[in-house]
Amino acid sequence: MAYGFDKVLDSYRKKLVDVEQKCMMQPDLPISHIQHEFEDFQLLLPALDSCLKYVHNHKLQGCQILSFLHQQCSSGISSVETAFTR
């Protein structure tokens, strides 16, 4: 599970670096542009956070985790479904 989450967060890390470089090149970059750049992650990150908290709080193991992740794959949010499928 940790490996899968790490892979999902790779795109977030890359986006952070890209936006940081843009901000350094264009100090007057509007905050709305930065917000737009991270729009894909506004639903994904809270979903990942709540998933980790649920697994931790309920002490899920093995097949319980797989079953829970399978349930999360049908959230109706494409970016979240893709992340949990990974």
Side-chain angles (χ1 to χ4, degrees), residues 6-74:
D6 189 49
K7 284 295 180 187
V8 168
L9 292 173
D10 275 344
S11 61
Y12 180 71
R13 289 185 201 104
K14 289 176 186 174
K15 181 64 77 176
L16 279 173
V17 170
D18 291 343
V19 171
E20 182 181 29
Q21 289 175 348
K22 285 181 185 179
C23 287
M24 292 173 74
M25 290 179 173
Q26 301 173 352
D28 59 340
L29 194 66
I31 192 76
S32 60
H33 179 78
I34 296 169
Q35 185 177 12
H36 174 72
E37 290 284 341
F38 290 102
E39 188 174 5
D40 294 340
F41 300 101
Q42 289 180 351
L43 297 174
L44 177 60
L45 293 178
L48 293 176
D49 180 54
S50 66
C51 173
L52 287 173
K53 286 178 182 175
Y54 185 88
V55 169
H56 177 74
N57 291 339
H58 289 87
K59 298 181 184 349
L60 299 184
Q61 296 179 358
C63 292
Q64 294 172 323
I65 293 173
L66 290 176
S67 177
F68 176 70
L69 291 176
H70 180 70
Q71 290 172 356
Q72 299 303 305
C73 287
S74 58

